[in-house]
Amino acid sequence: MAKSLKDRLFELNNLNLSREDKTQYLAKALKDKSNILLANVARIIAREDIKDLETELIASFERLLNNALKTDPSCAAKTAILEALISLDSQEHELYLKAIKYIQLEPVFGGKEDTAVKLRVLAAQGLIKSNYYGVVNELAALLADKEIQARAAAIWALSNCNSLAAVPLLRYKAMLGDNSSRVLSACFDSLLLLEPNDSLAFVADFLDNKSIMTAETAALSLGQARHEASLGYLKNSLEKAIDKDFQKTIITAIAILRNEPAIDYLFEVIENQEIYADEAIIALKSFGDKDILDRLEQIQ
């Protein structure tokens, strides 16, 4: 009588074998039809750093691409296998290139859902880690992915690929815009990290963007960058801002700078009883600093 999946999983997770015997056992297990078991096998291989099974992992991944909705729903096994290959420092570029373009649409209530998003994200990481020569071209395509997580991952990968093309691509993406603050934030943050001096004015230009979401994202990125010159851009934008929510965001961004000029400016806002003074008080209190709290008490 064939063992149930539950029994096979229990056996898999309670192996008491020598390294050689365990490797042979796992190699055989990688031919199993259950994607749940395959995912567990891949995680064990990664955890125990069994590099001898790289070829078997690749073969299992390729097999799961056939009739994928049936053999690997939710991409559970393919995702675990790709994670294992990256962990093992695999240089299998062809597999990463397949994965970064792979889409698996599965039926959900009201339509279909792409369950391969994480797979594309991992593929980008794999191409970066393995120093693939054409990685920038692949990441440029991923920047246009329909899924937010994939676009954000492309930006992360570009910021880590050590390519001269990264900054121009990130600038282009920023100018194209995005309907996700997460993606824009990743873009602005990466630019300010890669080229802080040259990117400061570029990101600050977005403070005047017609989209409040874009302007707020730029403000917060300037604050998080904690560049000395950020305060000037944020102050100038605050003086022109009409939208109350945007004013609040700029005050928050100034507070995030956490340097003496920024703190002094927030106190100045309070002392001059500016219309956004209440927001400045809240921002300063969030520091939880005794000296700042004492100073607040003296002027209130």
mmCIF file of all heavy atoms in Angstrom, residues 63-99:
data_model
loop_
_atom_site.group_PDB
_atom_site.id
_atom_site.type_symbol
_atom_site.label_atom_id
_atom_site.label_comp_id
_atom_site.label_asym_id
_atom_site.label_seq_id
_atom_site.Cartn_x
_atom_site.Cartn_y
_atom_site.Cartn_z
ATOM 1 N N ARG A 63 10.508 19.938 -15.016
ATOM 2 C CA ARG A 63 9.364 19.030 -15.100
ATOM 3 C C ARG A 63 8.080 19.721 -14.653
ATOM 4 O O ARG A 63 7.007 19.501 -15.228
ATOM 5 C CB ARG A 63 9.640 17.791 -14.234
ATOM 6 C CG ARG A 63 8.496 16.801 -14.147
ATOM 7 C CD ARG A 63 8.957 15.492 -13.500
ATOM 8 N NE ARG A 63 9.514 15.690 -12.174
ATOM 9 C CZ ARG A 63 8.784 15.758 -11.056
ATOM 10 N NH1 ARG A 63 7.460 15.672 -11.129
ATOM 11 N NH2 ARG A 63 9.367 15.910 -9.885
ATOM 12 N N LEU A 64 8.193 20.579 -13.645
ATOM 13 C CA LEU A 64 7.012 21.249 -13.103
ATOM 14 C C LEU A 64 6.470 22.350 -14.014
ATOM 15 O O LEU A 64 5.382 22.876 -13.778
ATOM 16 C CB LEU A 64 7.344 21.840 -11.729
ATOM 17 C CG LEU A 64 7.599 20.815 -10.624
ATOM 18 C CD1 LEU A 64 8.205 21.493 -9.405
ATOM 19 C CD2 LEU A 64 6.318 20.083 -10.251
ATOM 20 N N LEU A 65 7.218 22.704 -15.041
ATOM 21 C CA LEU A 65 6.731 23.697 -16.002
ATOM 22 C C LEU A 65 5.688 23.101 -16.940
ATOM 23 O O LEU A 65 4.929 23.831 -17.578
ATOM 24 C CB LEU A 65 7.901 24.259 -16.825
ATOM 25 C CG LEU A 65 8.935 25.094 -16.059
ATOM 26 C CD1 LEU A 65 10.076 25.490 -16.985
ATOM 27 C CD2 LEU A 65 8.295 26.336 -15.449
ATOM 28 N N ASN A 66 5.652 21.781 -17.018
ATOM 29 C CA ASN A 66 4.682 21.092 -17.872
ATOM 30 C C ASN A 66 3.374 20.874 -17.111
ATOM 31 O O ASN A 66 3.383 20.366 -15.990
ATOM 32 C CB ASN A 66 5.244 19.741 -18.330
ATOM 33 C CG ASN A 66 6.506 19.901 -19.160
ATOM 34 O OD1 ASN A 66 6.588 20.785 -20.010
ATOM 35 N ND2 ASN A 66 7.504 19.061 -18.900
ATOM 36 N N ASN A 67 2.282 21.286 -17.737
ATOM 37 C CA ASN A 67 0.963 21.143 -17.109
ATOM 38 C C ASN A 67 0.989 21.718 -15.692
ATOM 39 O O ASN A 67 0.554 21.094 -14.720
ATOM 40 C CB ASN A 67 0.556 19.663 -17.079
ATOM 41 C CG ASN A 67 -0.923 19.480 -16.798
ATOM 42 O OD1 ASN A 67 -1.710 20.425 -16.881
ATOM 43 N ND2 ASN A 67 -1.306 18.262 -16.441
ATOM 44 N N ALA A 68 1.528 22.935 -15.584
ATOM 45 C CA ALA A 68 1.871 23.531 -14.287
ATOM 46 C C ALA A 68 0.692 23.700 -13.335
ATOM 47 O O ALA A 68 0.855 23.572 -12.116
ATOM 48 C CB ALA A 68 2.548 24.882 -14.509
ATOM 49 N N LEU A 69 -0.486 23.993 -13.854
ATOM 50 C CA LEU A 69 -1.634 24.193 -12.964
ATOM 51 C C LEU A 69 -1.964 22.919 -12.192
ATOM 52 O O LEU A 69 -2.456 22.980 -11.061
ATOM 53 C CB LEU A 69 -2.860 24.644 -13.764
ATOM 54 C CG LEU A 69 -2.782 26.022 -14.422
ATOM 55 C CD1 LEU A 69 -4.112 26.357 -15.082
ATOM 56 C CD2 LEU A 69 -2.429 27.093 -13.400
ATOM 57 N N LYS A 70 -1.664 21.791 -12.795
ATOM 58 C CA LYS A 70 -1.944 20.512 -12.149
ATOM 59 C C LYS A 70 -0.747 20.028 -11.334
ATOM 60 O O LYS A 70 -0.905 19.536 -10.210
ATOM 61 C CB LYS A 70 -2.304 19.462 -13.206
ATOM 62 C CG LYS A 70 -2.677 18.111 -12.618
ATOM 63 C CD LYS A 70 -3.097 17.133 -13.712
ATOM 64 C CE LYS A 70 -3.473 15.770 -13.113
ATOM 65 N NZ LYS A 70 -3.888 14.801 -14.165
ATOM 66 N N THR A 71 0.464 20.169 -11.892
ATOM 67 C CA THR A 71 1.643 19.619 -11.216
ATOM 68 C C THR A 71 2.155 20.509 -10.085
ATOM 69 O O THR A 71 2.761 20.020 -9.134
ATOM 70 C CB THR A 71 2.793 19.399 -12.221
ATOM 71 O OG1 THR A 71 3.127 20.659 -12.834
ATOM 72 C CG2 THR A 71 2.388 18.398 -13.295
ATOM 73 N N ASP A 72 1.906 21.823 -10.188
ATOM 74 C CA ASP A 72 2.436 22.722 -9.150
ATOM 75 C C ASP A 72 1.539 23.941 -8.952
ATOM 76 O O ASP A 72 1.923 25.074 -9.265
ATOM 77 C CB ASP A 72 3.853 23.173 -9.519
ATOM 78 C CG ASP A 72 4.529 23.949 -8.392
ATOM 79 O OD1 ASP A 72 4.160 23.739 -7.217
ATOM 80 O OD2 ASP A 72 5.424 24.769 -8.686
ATOM 81 N N PRO A 73 0.331 23.737 -8.414
ATOM 82 C CA PRO A 73 -0.541 24.882 -8.145
ATOM 83 C C PRO A 73 0.100 25.844 -7.153
ATOM 84 O O PRO A 73 0.813 25.427 -6.237
ATOM 85 C CB PRO A 73 -1.803 24.231 -7.564
ATOM 86 C CG PRO A 73 -1.375 22.873 -7.104
ATOM 87 C CD PRO A 73 -0.280 22.454 -8.024
ATOM 88 N N SER A 74 -0.109 27.129 -7.393
ATOM 89 C CA SER A 74 0.448 28.209 -6.562
ATOM 90 C C SER A 74 1.968 28.324 -6.663
ATOM 91 O O SER A 74 2.585 29.082 -5.916
ATOM 92 C CB SER A 74 0.050 28.046 -5.088
ATOM 93 O OG SER A 74 -1.353 28.076 -4.956
ATOM 94 N N CYS A 75 2.573 27.563 -7.566
ATOM 95 C CA CYS A 75 4.035 27.605 -7.768
ATOM 96 C C CYS A 75 4.808 27.272 -6.489
ATOM 97 O O CYS A 75 5.948 27.718 -6.303
ATOM 98 C CB CYS A 75 4.476 28.982 -8.277
ATOM 99 S SG CYS A 75 3.930 29.363 -9.951
ATOM 100 N N ALA A 76 4.190 26.491 -5.619
ATOM 101 C CA ALA A 76 4.816 26.199 -4.325
ATOM 102 C C ALA A 76 6.166 25.505 -4.471
ATOM 103 O O ALA A 76 7.155 25.891 -3.831
ATOM 104 C CB ALA A 76 3.878 25.339 -3.485
ATOM 105 N N ALA A 77 6.219 24.473 -5.309
ATOM 106 C CA ALA A 77 7.461 23.717 -5.456
ATOM 107 C C ALA A 77 8.496 24.490 -6.268
ATOM 108 O O ALA A 77 9.680 24.530 -5.907
ATOM 109 C CB ALA A 77 7.182 22.370 -6.116
ATOM 110 N N LYS A 78 8.060 25.112 -7.358
ATOM 111 C CA LYS A 78 9.012 25.866 -8.192
ATOM 112 C C LYS A 78 9.659 26.991 -7.392
ATOM 113 O O LYS A 78 10.856 27.267 -7.532
ATOM 114 C CB LYS A 78 8.300 26.424 -9.433
ATOM 115 C CG LYS A 78 7.885 25.360 -10.435
ATOM 116 C CD LYS A 78 7.437 25.946 -11.753
ATOM 117 C CE LYS A 78 6.128 26.697 -11.658
ATOM 118 N NZ LYS A 78 4.968 25.830 -11.376
ATOM 119 N N THR A 79 8.870 27.639 -6.549
ATOM 120 C CA THR A 79 9.404 28.732 -5.727
ATOM 121 C C THR A 79 10.451 28.211 -4.745
ATOM 122 O O THR A 79 11.535 28.785 -4.604
ATOM 123 C CB THR A 79 8.262 29.425 -4.960
ATOM 124 O OG1 THR A 79 7.338 29.976 -5.896
ATOM 125 C CG2 THR A 79 8.809 30.540 -4.077
ATOM 126 N N ALA A 80 10.141 27.112 -4.071
ATOM 127 C CA ALA A 80 11.083 26.532 -3.099
ATOM 128 C C ALA A 80 12.354 26.044 -3.790
ATOM 129 O O ALA A 80 13.461 26.183 -3.256
ATOM 130 C CB ALA A 80 10.411 25.391 -2.344
ATOM 131 N N ILE A 81 12.195 25.481 -4.979
ATOM 132 C CA ILE A 81 13.365 24.994 -5.725
ATOM 133 C C ILE A 81 14.260 26.163 -6.133
ATOM 134 O O ILE A 81 15.492 26.094 -6.011
ATOM 135 C CB ILE A 81 12.917 24.191 -6.965
ATOM 136 C CG1 ILE A 81 12.303 22.852 -6.532
ATOM 137 C CG2 ILE A 81 14.094 23.954 -7.912
ATOM 138 C CD1 ILE A 81 11.645 22.082 -7.664
ATOM 139 N N LEU A 82 13.645 27.239 -6.601
ATOM 140 C CA LEU A 82 14.438 28.402 -7.013
ATOM 141 C C LEU A 82 15.155 29.014 -5.812
ATOM 142 O O LEU A 82 16.323 29.418 -5.907
ATOM 143 C CB LEU A 82 13.529 29.438 -7.681
ATOM 144 C CG LEU A 82 14.222 30.420 -8.634
ATOM 145 C CD1 LEU A 82 14.965 29.671 -9.735
ATOM 146 C CD2 LEU A 82 13.210 31.373 -9.252
ATOM 147 N N GLU A 83 14.476 29.074 -4.678
ATOM 148 C CA GLU A 83 15.116 29.564 -3.452
ATOM 149 C C GLU A 83 16.318 28.692 -3.093
ATOM 150 O O GLU A 83 17.370 29.202 -2.675
ATOM 151 C CB GLU A 83 14.105 29.572 -2.304
ATOM 152 C CG GLU A 83 13.071 30.675 -2.403
ATOM 153 C CD GLU A 83 12.020 30.603 -1.312
ATOM 154 O OE1 GLU A 83 11.694 29.479 -0.875
ATOM 155 O OE2 GLU A 83 11.508 31.665 -0.906
ATOM 156 N N ALA A 84 16.159 27.390 -3.258
ATOM 157 C CA ALA A 84 17.254 26.467 -2.943
ATOM 158 C C ALA A 84 18.433 26.678 -3.889
ATOM 159 O O ALA A 84 19.593 26.710 -3.458
ATOM 160 C CB ALA A 84 16.758 25.028 -3.033
ATOM 161 N N LEU A 85 18.154 26.839 -5.171
ATOM 162 C CA LEU A 85 19.226 27.033 -6.149
ATOM 163 C C LEU A 85 19.994 28.327 -5.880
ATOM 164 O O LEU A 85 21.227 28.365 -5.992
ATOM 165 C CB LEU A 85 18.643 27.046 -7.561
ATOM 166 C CG LEU A 85 18.177 25.679 -8.084
ATOM 167 C CD1 LEU A 85 17.362 25.837 -9.358
ATOM 168 C CD2 LEU A 85 19.370 24.757 -8.325
ATOM 169 N N ILE A 86 19.283 29.371 -5.513
ATOM 170 C CA ILE A 86 19.951 30.634 -5.179
ATOM 171 C C ILE A 86 20.810 30.453 -3.933
ATOM 172 O O ILE A 86 21.945 30.929 -3.863
ATOM 173 C CB ILE A 86 18.909 31.751 -4.977
ATOM 174 C CG1 ILE A 86 18.215 32.065 -6.303
ATOM 175 C CG2 ILE A 86 19.567 33.015 -4.415
ATOM 176 C CD1 ILE A 86 17.013 32.978 -6.173
ATOM 177 N N SER A 87 20.267 29.740 -2.950
ATOM 178 C CA SER A 87 21.010 29.476 -1.718
ATOM 179 C C SER A 87 22.279 28.673 -1.993
ATOM 180 O O SER A 87 23.309 28.870 -1.344
ATOM 181 C CB SER A 87 20.120 28.713 -0.733
ATOM 182 O OG SER A 87 20.832 28.321 0.411
ATOM 183 N N LEU A 88 22.208 27.786 -2.991
ATOM 184 C CA LEU A 88 23.353 26.941 -3.342
ATOM 185 C C LEU A 88 24.320 27.642 -4.301
ATOM 186 O O LEU A 88 25.276 27.028 -4.782
ATOM 187 C CB LEU A 88 22.860 25.638 -3.984
ATOM 188 C CG LEU A 88 22.004 24.714 -3.104
ATOM 189 C CD1 LEU A 88 21.472 23.548 -3.924
ATOM 190 C CD2 LEU A 88 22.789 24.221 -1.903
ATOM 191 N N ASP A 89 24.045 28.931 -4.590
ATOM 192 C CA ASP A 89 24.888 29.720 -5.501
ATOM 193 C C ASP A 89 24.920 29.143 -6.909
ATOM 194 O O ASP A 89 25.960 29.152 -7.587
ATOM 195 C CB ASP A 89 26.326 29.834 -4.969
ATOM 196 C CG ASP A 89 26.399 30.612 -3.666
ATOM 197 O OD1 ASP A 89 25.653 31.591 -3.531
ATOM 198 O OD2 ASP A 89 27.184 30.231 -2.781
ATOM 199 N N SER A 90 23.778 28.654 -7.356
ATOM 200 C CA SER A 90 23.700 28.098 -8.705
ATOM 201 C C SER A 90 23.952 29.177 -9.756
ATOM 202 O O SER A 90 23.496 30.311 -9.626
ATOM 203 C CB SER A 90 22.318 27.479 -8.937
ATOM 204 O OG SER A 90 22.165 27.082 -10.283
ATOM 205 N N GLN A 91 24.668 28.799 -10.798
ATOM 206 C CA GLN A 91 24.955 29.699 -11.915
ATOM 207 C C GLN A 91 24.085 29.349 -13.129
ATOM 208 O O GLN A 91 24.427 29.696 -14.261
ATOM 209 C CB GLN A 91 26.435 29.582 -12.296
ATOM 210 C CG GLN A 91 27.397 29.908 -11.166
ATOM 211 C CD GLN A 91 27.358 31.374 -10.773
ATOM 212 O OE1 GLN A 91 27.547 32.254 -11.610
ATOM 213 N NE2 GLN A 91 27.100 31.643 -9.505
ATOM 214 N N GLU A 92 22.974 28.691 -12.886
ATOM 215 C CA GLU A 92 22.111 28.220 -13.970
ATOM 216 C C GLU A 92 21.293 29.382 -14.542
ATOM 217 O O GLU A 92 20.103 29.552 -14.253
ATOM 218 C CB GLU A 92 21.188 27.112 -13.456
ATOM 219 C CG GLU A 92 20.405 26.399 -14.535
ATOM 220 C CD GLU A 92 21.283 25.706 -15.572
ATOM 221 O OE1 GLU A 92 22.415 25.293 -15.231
ATOM 222 O OE2 GLU A 92 20.832 25.586 -16.718
ATOM 223 N N HIS A 93 21.936 30.189 -15.376
ATOM 224 C CA HIS A 93 21.296 31.387 -15.913
ATOM 225 C C HIS A 93 20.059 31.076 -16.744
ATOM 226 O O HIS A 93 19.075 31.828 -16.708
ATOM 227 C CB HIS A 93 22.303 32.174 -16.761
ATOM 228 C CG HIS A 93 23.454 32.702 -15.974
ATOM 229 N ND1 HIS A 93 24.742 32.724 -16.450
ATOM 230 C CD2 HIS A 93 23.518 33.211 -14.716
ATOM 231 C CE1 HIS A 93 25.549 33.230 -15.539
ATOM 232 N NE2 HIS A 93 24.834 33.528 -14.473
ATOM 233 N N GLU A 94 20.107 29.991 -17.504
ATOM 234 C CA GLU A 94 18.979 29.660 -18.368
ATOM 235 C C GLU A 94 17.703 29.443 -17.558
ATOM 236 O O GLU A 94 16.615 29.847 -17.968
ATOM 237 C CB GLU A 94 19.296 28.415 -19.208
ATOM 238 C CG GLU A 94 20.328 28.644 -20.297
ATOM 239 C CD GLU A 94 19.914 29.757 -21.255
ATOM 240 O OE1 GLU A 94 18.734 29.778 -21.662
ATOM 241 O OE2 GLU A 94 20.763 30.602 -21.581
ATOM 242 N N LEU A 95 17.845 28.820 -16.410
ATOM 243 C CA LEU A 95 16.674 28.592 -15.562
ATOM 244 C C LEU A 95 16.160 29.915 -14.995
ATOM 245 O O LEU A 95 14.952 30.170 -14.975
ATOM 246 C CB LEU A 95 17.029 27.627 -14.431
ATOM 247 C CG LEU A 95 15.863 27.203 -13.530
ATOM 248 C CD1 LEU A 95 15.983 25.738 -13.154
ATOM 249 C CD2 LEU A 95 15.812 28.050 -12.269
ATOM 250 N N TYR A 96 17.075 30.776 -14.536
ATOM 251 C CA TYR A 96 16.664 32.085 -14.018
ATOM 252 C C TYR A 96 15.960 32.901 -15.105
ATOM 253 O O TYR A 96 14.985 33.611 -14.827
ATOM 254 C CB TYR A 96 17.878 32.863 -13.507
ATOM 255 C CG TYR A 96 18.561 32.255 -12.304
ATOM 256 C CD1 TYR A 96 19.947 32.305 -12.167
ATOM 257 C CD2 TYR A 96 17.836 31.633 -11.296
ATOM 258 C CE1 TYR A 96 20.592 31.761 -11.065
ATOM 259 C CE2 TYR A 96 18.469 31.075 -10.187
ATOM 260 C CZ TYR A 96 19.847 31.144 -10.082
ATOM 261 O OH TYR A 96 20.473 30.600 -8.991
ATOM 262 N N LEU A 97 16.458 32.792 -16.332
ATOM 263 C CA LEU A 97 15.863 33.544 -17.442
ATOM 264 C C LEU A 97 14.452 33.044 -17.760
ATOM 265 O O LEU A 97 13.573 33.825 -18.131
ATOM 266 C CB LEU A 97 16.754 33.449 -18.682
ATOM 267 C CG LEU A 97 18.081 34.211 -18.586
ATOM 268 C CD1 LEU A 97 18.981 33.873 -19.766
ATOM 269 C CD2 LEU A 97 17.833 35.711 -18.522
ATOM 270 N N LYS A 98 14.249 31.753 -17.624
ATOM 271 C CA LYS A 98 12.895 31.212 -17.802
ATOM 272 C C LYS A 98 11.979 31.718 -16.689
ATOM 273 O O LYS A 98 10.841 32.127 -16.931
ATOM 274 C CB LYS A 98 12.924 29.680 -17.779
ATOM 275 C CG LYS A 98 13.465 29.028 -19.032
ATOM 276 C CD LYS A 98 13.386 27.512 -18.908
ATOM 277 C CE LYS A 98 13.968 26.835 -20.150
ATOM 278 N NZ LYS A 98 13.914 25.357 -20.036
ATOM 279 N N ALA A 99 12.499 31.686 -15.470
ATOM 280 C CA ALA A 99 11.684 32.040 -14.305
ATOM 281 C C ALA A 99 11.310 33.517 -14.284
ATOM 282 O O ALA A 99 10.211 33.879 -13.845
ATOM 283 C CB ALA A 99 12.424 31.666 -13.026
#
